[in-house]
Amino acid sequence: MTLAERHRYILDQLEKKGLLTVSDLAKELNVTMVTVRKDLKILEEKGLLFRSHGSATSVSPYVSDRSVQVKKLEQVEEKGRIAQKALDYLEPNEAIIIGSGTTVGAFAQAIPRNYPLTVLTAAMNVALALIDTTELELVQLGGVVRKSSSSAVGHFAEDMLKSFACNKLFLSVDGISLEHGLTTSNMMEAHLNAEMIRSVQKTIVLADSRKFGRKGFGKICDLEDIDVIITDSGIPEIYRERLEEKGIELVVV
């Protein structure tokens, strides 16, 4: 296979799968990993892909901080399906934590108005979505408000969280990476999310497929620290395989 043919194969597979690993490409192309890395470097220099620690993606793996007002207009149908599926993981009279973000915001809106729950949250959009529920007890965590996420962060929220033990956490993230785990664009929010994980028995991540292969500035946890991921059918195939290998329950809607 010529250089041009290898490059065309790589770009075609990247368009289909969204993410490729150097090791898999070396096997498929019957060349060394050194050759694949050189090919990827050439293609990256041409602006045709992005390299990241033994893999390549079709979009930049780095995410920036954006307002929830912007993000709530994106992937609306996918987030709605994910939110509806997450309802299957609720049990009456549980105490749960709901993180911040637009996908968990959609989940909060989907919770039946008369469902008996105790909900802890630092996110104001989540609290407002649940304010008119009749059987639900709502606990608002306080602290410094991040305007972009409409959520409280900082040691006040973390200290308050330590007073509670909850059944489940429903969490949204900015990035899910095989190498970097779960990340978000803000380090203070990442630290609060990590504390939330430590406060529950089970962590359920709600994330549309565009979050896979991406990473933000603040690391929340490794993939092994979570139990369930609910996403849409656009998830790259490699993540389906690797998440199952790690024992994570993957639900695709």
Side-chain angles (χ1 to χ4, degrees), residues 95 97 118 120 139 141 157 159-166 198-200:
I97 303 174
T118 298
L120 279 72
V139 180
L141 300 178
D159 289 346
M160 188 176 177
L161 188 61
K162 293 174 184 177
S163 300
F164 305 100
C166 297
R198 284 189 278 270
S199 300
V200 300

Side-chain angles (χ1 to χ4, degrees), residues 188-231:
M188 293 179 70
E189 190 139 36
H191 196 269
L192 178 60
N193 288 341
E195 291 293 336
M196 289 178 172
I197 291 173
R198 284 189 278 270
S199 300
V200 300
Q201 294 174 310
K202 190 171 191 176
T203 298
I204 301 162
V205 176
L206 314 185
D208 67 76
S209 60
R210 295 197 309 173
K211 305 295 174 61
F212 290 86
R214 312 293 298 278
K215 53 189 174 185
F217 177 69
K219 180 172 179 175
I220 300 170
C221 67
D222 293 325
L223 287 173
E224 288 82 0
D225 294 326
I226 63 174
D227 302 285
V228 182
I229 296 178
I230 306 176
T231 188

Side-chain angles (χ1 to χ4, degrees), residues 23-107:
S23 58
D24 286 344
L25 283 172
K27 293 176 184 177
E28 293 167 12
L29 294 168
N30 195 28
V31 295
T32 66
M33 292 174 64
V34 173
T35 298
V36 172
R37 290 193 183 96
K38 289 179 179 178
D39 288 341
L40 295 180
K41 185 175 185 293
I42 293 171
L43 292 171
E44 184 180 46
E45 289 171 348
K46 293 180 179 180
L48 298 174
L49 53 76
F50 297 88
R51 292 185 300 156
S52 178
H53 294 290
S55 63
T57 62
S58 55
V59 297
S60 173
Y62 299 100
V63 295
S64 57
D65 191 19
R66 297 184 302 142
S67 168
V68 291
Q69 301 304 319
V70 174
K71 293 192 284 187
K72 73 178 183 180
L73 302 177
E74 302 171 341
Q75 308 293 104
V76 176
E77 291 185 8
E78 290 85 351
K79 290 174 182 177
R81 294 199 304 270
I82 292 167
Q84 286 295 323
K85 186 61 181 177
L87 295 177
D88 292 347
Y89 290 83
L90 283 180
E91 296 290 341
N93 302 307
E94 285 185 320
I96 67 170
I97 303 174
I98 300 180
S100 63
T102 54
T103 309
V104 289
F107 167 64

